[in-house]
Amino acid sequence: ELHFTKVQEWLSQAMNEEPDSLVLTLLEAEFYTLKKDYPKAERSYESALKIDPKNVVALNNLAWLAFD
């Protein structure tokens, strides 16, 4: 849990500096997936698709989340 907290701090700081970064948004989604916080992961993937509607990583991972 300590590691998750530290990584979340890093991600939050980076997202504040570059809020429209596709890479950071995808990393945030993966982070939430690893934490098994699927609603937040889903929102992050949807945010990634607002940046790049055809992003295959976001589309694929969002589809997998829908199966759960």
Side-chain angles (χ1 to χ4, degrees), residues 49-68:
L49 290 172
K50 288 178 184 172
I51 298 168
D52 179 7
K54 295 182 181 181
N55 185 278
V56 292
V57 173
L59 288 168
N60 181 67
N61 293 353
L62 193 56
W64 276 104
L65 287 176
F67 277 113
D68 271 347

Side-chain angles (χ1 to χ4, degrees), residues 4-64:
F4 279 126
T5 301
K6 190 63 176 171
V7 171
Q8 190 163 22
E9 288 173 12
W10 293 336
L11 272 172
S12 294
Q13 182 180 6
M15 293 289 290
N16 285 335
E17 292 174 14
E18 295 184 55
D20 296 327
S21 170
L22 177 61
V23 172
L24 289 174
T25 304
L26 290 171
L27 288 173
E28 179 184 60
E30 288 296 319
F31 170 78
Y32 287 129
T33 301
L34 287 171
K35 277 190 80 174
K36 298 182 183 189
D37 189 342
Y38 302 122
K40 286 185 180 178
E42 190 173 329
R43 285 193 296 272
S44 293
Y45 284 124
E46 289 169 350
S47 293
L49 290 172
K50 288 178 184 172
I51 298 168
D52 179 7
K54 295 182 181 181
N55 185 278
V56 292
V57 173
L59 288 168
N60 181 67
N61 293 353
L62 193 56
W64 276 104

